[in-house]
Amino acid sequence: MSSAFVRVCGLSELEEDTPKRVELDGTPISVVRTEGEVFAINDICSHANVSLSEGEVDDCHIECWLHGSRFDLRSGKPDALPATRPVPVYPVKIEGDDVLVSLTQES
């Protein structure tokens, strides 16, 4: 995987607590602006292979809409069953209005 940061969207395109699905080098990513920060987490639930970007964001967590698993946006770790495996999270940089993500995993 590349460690280079790539622009995935504009900061102005991100609504607070509303996930945005993007693809970077074939990897589906959910980009989330919440609590004054921007996070990038793999968009596929580790339990049911569905898109996390279709779920709700609350308290720095994203919830899978299908079975209710919740993942911490900072670490990717699940804190609600049925998911037991974390999903990858990726480093984010903000440069002006550009949101940049690197596929180098943080966890």
Side-chain angles (χ1 to χ4, degrees):
M1 281 191 211
S2 170
S3 62
F5 281 86
V6 177
R7 184 187 189 279
V8 294
C9 65
L11 189 59
S12 58
E13 297 173 48
L14 297 176
E15 294 181 43
E16 185 77 10
D17 296 332
T18 303
K20 179 178 181 66
R21 187 182 195 277
V22 299
E23 202 165 289
L24 182 56
D25 292 338
T27 301
I29 297 170
S30 183
V31 181
V32 181
R33 183 180 193 170
T34 187
E35 300 181 10
E37 293 186 68
V38 177
F39 300 93
I41 188 168
N42 192 284
D43 193 44
I44 305 301
C45 178
S46 63
H47 167 256
N49 196 31
V50 297
S51 178
L52 291 176
S53 61
E54 296 177 29
E56 303 282 322
V57 173
D58 183 48
D59 193 28
C60 218
H61 287 76
I62 190 165
E63 182 176 314
C64 179
W65 60 270
L66 188 59
H67 296 118
S69 293
R70 285 172 33 102
F71 298 90
D72 189 312
L73 290 168
R74 297 162 292 221
S75 68
K77 292 179 181 167
D79 71 352
L81 295 173
T84 58
R85 290 178 292 124
V87 293
V89 294
Y90 308 102
V92 175
K93 281 202 277 191
I94 308 298
E95 293 181 357
D97 186 56
D98 294 335
V99 177
L100 306 154
V101 174
S102 171
L103 287 182
T104 302
Q105 294 181 22
E106 291 188 336
S107 65

